[in-house]
Amino acid sequence: MTVTINDVAQAAGVSKGAVSYALNGQPGVSQETRDRILRVAKELGWTPNLRAKGLSSSKAYALGLVVARDPLLLGTDPFFPAFIAGIETALAEHEYALVLSVATAPGAEERCYRKLVDNGRVDGFILTDVRHDDSRIALMLELKLPAVTLNRPDAASPFPAVSVEESEGIVAAVEHLMELGHSRIAHVGGAQEYIHGRSRRQAWEDALRGAGLQPDLFAAADFTAAGGVAATADLLRRPDRPTAIVYANDLMATAGQSYAQSMGLSVPGDLSITGYDNAEFTKYLNPPLTTLATDPMLWGRASAQLMLNQLAAPRGVEDITLPSPRLIVRASTGPVPATPTEPLRSS
């Protein structure tokens, strides 16, 4: 049975009001009485009723996460389950909950944010997939709720951010390929409206230009497996087709590697491939994928903790910068082919 404040009051021999003062850290009872009430509450196994607490404090004790991507991506891209698990781990320690909404229809994303606020279901939001000139920053200000962004937006934002220096990882992947003799190094990028899609492409371009090479082998995709296949097919049909491809995530890299092999190419004999995220399955591919190790669960924990810090003390909350991705070299990268490569013909 649920232990109530009334149960604690009867066992401690005090009024319900005294129990409320003690459990909420408010003045009104002596220290001796407070200690007795807290001891009795612990012995009885009393836990706070967040619903009742929320009604009395106008708090929802929940954070919102609105994902504006195909729902299938949440199951196929390993980043999201690990990221959400990280959020949940941090929130559970503070008896908060996560309210997740998936919005894909036109206009559905903004409606989700407004509905969650109008219904009083969340105390703040974690904003993923931050975009160029992101309209959600102004929306959060209008809704008067705090937020945390994944990566610092390219427009003015009053909200703290959890960021990672992604360029160092991409540069490390490009330099690794150049050390193997590659000069025609392509990039399959994520959606370019996303800040992280742009930053990974920019890092690839800067690394090539720094070595005196032209970054002219780019193919845009959308972080999905299908997008990775289409972009890979495009690159491999070009007259100057690449001998190596740097992908913006592991899902596209895995799909691209499979496509190249299905077209008769050897990986890494004819084509070297690198990914991004170090998803668990990448070490079991044939060949295992060279990739950049990140920690999506840490991203989730840090984002949730930063949001909780902001709710507890709105002023003076600082950004969090996570460690840069680390290059993990496996068998999907090798020396540049000794003979010139020919463009693939459409199948």
Side-chain angles (χ1 to χ4, degrees), residues 163-178 196 199-207 246 274-276 291-294 321-328:
S163 303
V164 63
E165 185 50 65
E166 297 181 304
S167 62
E168 293 183 11
I170 295 292
V171 168
V174 173
E175 289 179 345
H176 165 65
L177 293 168
M178 290 191 293
H196 60 293
S199 65
R200 293 173 196 182
R201 178 182 181 178
Q202 188 63 55
W204 164 78
E205 290 181 352
D206 292 345
V246 173
T274 71
Y276 193 110
T291 187
L292 293 162
T294 61
T321 301
L322 301 179
S324 299
R326 176 173 52 90
L327 179 66
I328 297 181

Side-chain angles (χ1 to χ4, degrees), residues 188 221-233 247 249 251-253 255-257 259:
V188 171
D222 56 1
F223 290 113
T224 68
V229 168
T232 304
Y247 289 82
N249 75 349
L251 189 59
M252 295 192 298
Q257 176 171 307
Y259 172 79

Side-chain angles (χ1 to χ4, degrees), residues 121-184:
R121 295 185 61 192
V122 298
D123 299 319
F125 290 100
I126 296 174
L127 305 183
T128 63
D129 290 336
V130 175
R131 301 147 203 163
H132 170 60
D133 197 20
D134 201 318
S135 63
R136 292 176 298 172
I137 303 302
L139 178 60
M140 294 298 106
L141 292 173
E142 177 192 338
L143 296 175
K144 294 181 172 58
L145 274 192
V148 165
T149 63
L150 262 65
N151 287 315
R152 172 57 55 187
D154 58 1
S157 169
F159 304 118
V162 177
S163 303
V164 63
E165 185 50 65
E166 297 181 304
S167 62
E168 293 183 11
I170 295 292
V171 168
V174 173
E175 289 179 345
H176 165 65
L177 293 168
M178 290 191 293
E179 288 170 0
L180 293 170
H182 295 274
S183 58
R184 295 198 303 283

Side-chain angles (χ1 to χ4, degrees), residues 181-305:
H182 295 274
S183 58
R184 295 198 303 283
I185 302 172
H187 179 52
V188 171
Q192 293 300 287
E193 66 266 26
Y194 296 146
I195 294 295
H196 60 293
R198 289 188 175 203
S199 65
R200 293 173 196 182
R201 178 182 181 178
Q202 188 63 55
W204 164 78
E205 290 181 352
D206 292 345
L208 289 180
R209 287 199 175 100
L213 301 174
Q214 285 299 312
D216 52 1
L217 290 169
F218 173 76
D222 56 1
F223 290 113
T224 68
V229 168
T232 304
D234 169 40
L235 289 168
L236 295 181
R237 286 195 296 264
R238 296 186 188 184
D240 58 344
R241 77 170 175 88
T243 60
I245 304 177
V246 173
Y247 289 82
N249 75 349
D250 285 340
L251 189 59
M252 295 192 298
T254 300
Q257 176 171 307
S258 177
Y259 172 79
Q261 290 170 324
S262 73
M263 297 300 291
L265 295 182
S266 166
V267 176
D270 299 311
L271 180 69
S272 288
I273 286 176
T274 71
Y276 193 110
D277 281 332
N278 191 33
E280 179 68 17
F281 65 80
T282 58
K283 68 178 71 172
Y284 303 111
L285 300 176
N286 185 22
L289 183 67
T290 293
T291 187
L292 293 162
T294 61
D295 191 343
M297 197 162 181
L298 178 60
W299 272 78
R301 282 189 62 88
S303 302
Q305 189 59 58

